[in-house]
Structures are given as structure tokens and as C-alpha cells.
Amino acid sequence: MKKQTVITGLIVILSLMDISHVLAYTVTYKDKLGRVVTVDAPVKRAVILITYDLIPALDIWDDVAGINRWAYSHDDLFKATMPDAEKTIPSVGTGDNVNIEAILALKPDLIITWTYRPEIMRFMEQKGLKVIGVYPEGIEELYEVMRLHGRLFNREKRTEFVINKMEEIFRLIRQRVATIPEEKRKRCLWLGGKPTTVACGIGVTNDIFKMIGCINPAGDIQERNRDVSLERIITWSPDVIFIWGNAGYPIETVTKGSQWASVKAMRENRVYRASEWSTWSPRLAPIALWMAMKTYPEYFKDVDFDGVVDRFYRNVFGVSYGEIDKIAQ
């Protein structure tokens, strides 16, 4: 009987070893800086300094060893999906101000960050850390980054499910705006960190403008963002203005600024401040719907925005829309 037990135990151990062997794989990725990085996967101890909305979306909580402190201080989704996360996942600074000692203490398998400060990426690599840099500059690049996370954390099916839910909203938008005549297309401008910093022809925002049938007056500038003169904005005189949700100035800077009075969006009271949600997130889909409905309300009269977004949140994040900070209506 004892011999049989030992043999059974060995079979179980060998089976587990075999499963482990099958699950182990490598992921090779050419990141935004052109660096080819090879990672042993599935990753079990990641430090995520960007794209942290993918943690609840892909349910990879157990695979995250450290996180950007902004996730705790600025991300309503984080608070809703895992209120006690701060007790188990330490913060390690921000993408442009990392606490290297805290990161080293975590002994991570991988750090995922953005390429805004490449010198910080190099510094982490000099410390022996493996780093992937991302900077999605369009919807397809965002999908690519999401699929990278799917491969790294063995969540590929879940990633495709999330992308499909985003596409459901994007299809709704495309169907509604497809019938808008060219002569009725609105000119939309996105203001960034300063009232005169505009989103240009490269980036997720410009992709959204194209999707919702907007003409971006700054779209011919082949940059992500550019600071332009107020006179230039006045010349453009956009029909609709959106202000980045994390901009460090109130909406009244624009809506009550006498210098802006001649801009059409001002005259028609069509200046909107976006939510603080990240656009490098599945939440890009509800943001796009919100922008489309603000731009062309007559084409979305029968769309229940809260209902659509609530279903999206429940499917993708497992929480209701009512549990997070809503987009201003």
C-alpha cells in the first residue's frame, strides 16, 4: 500500500512538472524604442508603471508585484475593482520618477513602462532589470500593447474578449456617423496640458476624431502634441473643444477667457472637459462614445450612454459604471 502511494505521488509530481513545462514559453517583443526584449512567460512578478487599467481587465492581480502610485491616487477604476490593493501591491513611484530601490527590492521579472523618459528605462536596465517600453499612438497600437499583455500573462483569450467589447462600441459609433454628410462634419480640437497645447496628427486622440467623424484642424501637424498660439486656435475656430481630463487648469480658463470669445465652440457653448480616464486603456471605447455624442448629439438621441457604458464596465472590469467617477454629461 505504501509503495502504491509513493508511485501515485510521483505520477502527480511528474504530471505537474509536465504542465509547468507546457505552460512555460518565451515572448519576444520589439518595443516602441525598437529594442527587442525576450521575456520568460507567463510573467509572475511584473512592475506596471503604465497601462494599469489592464490589471482588472485581464485579471492579472496575482502577477503584479509593484505599480505606479498614480493608480492609487488618480485611478477610480483601481479603487472600485480592488479597494484593498494598496495593502498587497506596493507603489514604486511613477513612470517618470521611479523609486529604483523599491523596484529592486521586489525582484520583478519585468517592468512595463512608457517611453516618455527613455533615460529612466536605460537606468533600470543598468540595474539588471528587464524593461519593455510602450507608447501606443493609435487604436491599433493600443490593441498591440493589449495583446502583448495577453501573451505575457497568458491571458490571450481574455484580451480578445476585451478588444471585442471595445469594438462593439466603436461599431456603434461608426454606424451612426457614417451617414453624416461631409459638409456637416464638425471641427474638433483637443487641448492638453496647457490651453494652447493641441493634439495633432499622431496619437490615439486623432484616431478617435477620425472615428467619430471630426475634422482635427491640427491633424496636418505630424506630431503628438504641439503648443500653438491662441491666434492660431482662433483662426481654426473649432466647433467643439475637448479638454484633457488631467489638464492642470479649470475649464473656465477657456469658457470664461475673453480671448477665446470669438471661437465658435465658445459662442455655442460646446467646450467639454473629459474624464481623468486613461486613453491607453479599454476605457478608450466609452470615452470615444462620449466624444461622439457630444459632437453629434442628434445622431445619438436614442443611445442610452449610461446603459451602454455600464454593460461595458460589467463585462470588462466586473464593476458597474455607477461605482466609478462618471464622465460629465
Side-chain angles (χ1 to χ4, degrees):
M1 184 66 182
K2 185 176 181 181
K3 182 178 181 182
Q4 184 178 0
T5 302
V6 171
I7 292 173
T8 302
L10 283 172
I11 291 174
V12 171
I13 292 171
L14 288 171
S15 298
L16 289 174
M17 289 175 66
D18 185 54
I19 291 172
S20 175
H21 174 73
V22 170
L23 291 178
Y25 55 95
T26 59
V27 174
T28 300
Y29 183 74
K30 186 175 182 179
D31 76 2
K32 193 65 178 180
L33 294 181
R35 303 156 55 255
V36 177
V37 182
T38 299
V39 181
D40 294 330
V43 171
K44 293 298 181 185
R45 292 189 60 77
V47 168
I48 295 183
L49 295 171
I50 200 73
T51 65
Y52 34 82
D53 278 4
L54 293 178
I55 297 172
L58 304 185
D59 189 19
I60 54 176
W61 293 100
D62 292 340
D63 304 322
V64 178
I67 198 165
N68 189 323
R69 66 177 167 82
W70 288 96
Y72 295 126
S73 59
H74 287 74
D75 196 304
D76 55 347
L77 180 62
F78 229 69
K79 297 171 186 172
T81 52
M82 188 64 78
D84 61 347
E86 201 164 1
K87 297 178 182 176
T88 56
I89 304 177
S91 63
V92 293
T94 65
D96 56 359
N97 186 21
V98 299
N99 182 335
I100 192 66
E101 287 78 17
I103 291 179
L104 289 170
L106 295 173
K107 300 184 183 345
D109 303 323
L110 174 67
I111 298 166
I112 301 174
T113 187
W114 63 340
T115 56
Y116 179 68
R117 298 279 302 276
E119 69 275 17
I120 293 179
M121 292 176 59
R122 288 194 293 271
F123 176 67
M124 290 191 288
E125 286 180 316
Q126 288 167 0
K127 296 294 182 180
L129 299 166
K130 187 159 289 191
V131 184
I132 286 180
V134 301
Y135 202 116
E137 295 184 308
I139 295 173
E140 287 304 318
E141 287 193 23
L142 175 61
Y143 286 166
E144 178 190 314
V145 168
M146 291 173 62
R147 288 182 171 119
L148 167 66
H149 285 67
R151 295 198 300 276
L152 289 170
F153 298 99
N154 195 25
R155 296 288 196 282
E156 290 175 279
K157 288 184 179 178
R158 176 66 188 176
T159 302
E160 294 306 319
F161 173 83
V162 172
I163 290 174
N164 285 335
K165 291 301 170 187
M166 295 173 67
E167 281 295 316
E168 285 181 7
I169 293 181
F170 291 154
R171 277 195 295 275
L172 168 64
I173 296 170
R174 292 188 184 105
Q175 288 168 359
R176 296 303 177 103
V177 304
T179 59
I180 302 174
E182 285 298 321
E183 63 273 17
K184 291 188 176 181
R185 301 274 170 161
K186 303 295 185 185
R187 295 165 63 83
C188 303
L189 200 62
W190 178 278
L191 307 183
K194 296 194 298 183
T196 50
T197 300
V198 298
C200 302
I202 298 175
V204 170
T205 304
N206 195 58
D207 266 12
I208 293 301
F209 278 159
K210 291 178 181 176
M211 178 190 297
I212 68 176
C214 271
I215 299 167
N216 180 5
D220 290 337
I221 303 173
Q222 290 304 301
E223 298 175 16
R224 294 167 179 160
N225 304 284
R226 179 185 286 185
D227 194 30
V228 299
S229 67
L230 180 57
E231 289 73 21
R232 193 169 187 182
I233 295 176
I234 292 172
T235 301
W236 284 333
S237 196
D239 301 288
V240 182
I241 291 178
F242 295 101
I243 299 175
W244 180 42
N246 288 294
Y249 53 90
I251 189 172
E252 289 78 12
T253 301
V254 176
T255 59
K256 294 185 178 178
S258 58
Q259 293 178 302
W260 293 76
S262 62
V263 176
K264 188 176 181 182
M266 278 287 300
R267 298 198 307 271
E268 298 184 356
N269 195 29
R270 303 195 68 183
V271 180
Y272 308 104
R273 188 181 180 96
S275 71
E276 295 184 359
W277 301 355
S278 171
T279 54
W280 290 355
S281 159
R283 296 204 275 185
L284 179 65
I287 292 172
L289 179 60
W290 173 78
M291 293 172 66
M293 293 179 70
K294 289 298 184 189
T295 305
Y296 300 109
E298 65 273 29
Y299 287 84
F300 292 87
K301 285 180 180 176
D302 61 329
V303 174
D304 173 11
F305 179 82
D306 282 3
V308 171
V309 178
D310 187 61
R311 286 192 293 277
F312 179 83
Y313 262 82
R314 291 181 185 278
N315 281 318
V316 174
F317 300 115
V319 296
S320 72
Y321 181 43
E323 293 178 68
I324 54 96
D325 295 333
K326 291 188 174 183
I327 298 180
Q329 298 297 298

